[in-house]
Amino acid sequence: MPQAAKNSDAAKDFIAFFSTPKYEGAIATDAGNLTAIKDGPAPTNLESVQTLLNNVPTRTVFDGVSGEYFAKVFDPAFGDLWLGKSTPAQFLSTLEGTQAQFWETQP
């Protein structure tokens, strides 16, 4: 929750309300999705995924990709796209050029 958010107390109450077993259970049973609560209920077809996620204490966000790639290549281009400073075509064009340059410098 951003510190400067308006109505942050109401937002926290909303999150707490929908994080109860009743509503988390509905996410699994009615929506057929995993819940945000560790060890929460899981739909039958996702039980093995839930078990896997619960048993892996940490995960690398993008396995095998250099940590600098995102800071130097992806994040700046995506930031411009997200903020409306570039179009999807410009985003892809930027990635095409900057990632080629980036990977040429990697050992």
Side-chain angles (χ1 to χ4, degrees):
M1 183 77 53
Q3 290 181 357
K6 294 181 182 179
N7 304 313
S8 62
D9 288 337
K12 289 175 187 175
D13 290 343
F14 176 82
I15 292 168
F17 177 78
F18 279 101
S19 295
T20 62
K22 175 182 176 181
Y23 293 105
E24 287 292 321
I27 289 172
T29 57
D30 298 346
N33 209 338
L34 296 174
T35 68
I37 297 175
K38 183 177 180 178
D39 296 325
T44 304
N45 64 326
L46 294 175
E47 286 176 348
S48 62
V49 174
Q50 179 79 343
T51 300
L52 176 67
L53 292 172
N54 287 340
N55 291 327
V56 179
T58 60
R59 292 180 291 283
T60 304
V61 177
F62 296 99
D63 291 343
V65 175
S66 172
E68 291 185 333
Y69 171 81
F70 289 94
K72 291 183 176 180
V73 178
F74 187 83
D75 292 343
F78 183 75
D80 286 346
L81 176 67
W82 183 257
L83 296 173
K85 296 179 182 178
S86 69
T87 65
Q90 290 168 323
F91 167 73
L92 294 174
S93 178
T94 298
L95 283 183
E96 182 179 11
T98 55
Q99 72 179 343
Q101 292 169 352
F102 175 81
W103 290 116
E104 286 174 1
T105 65
Q106 298 305 300

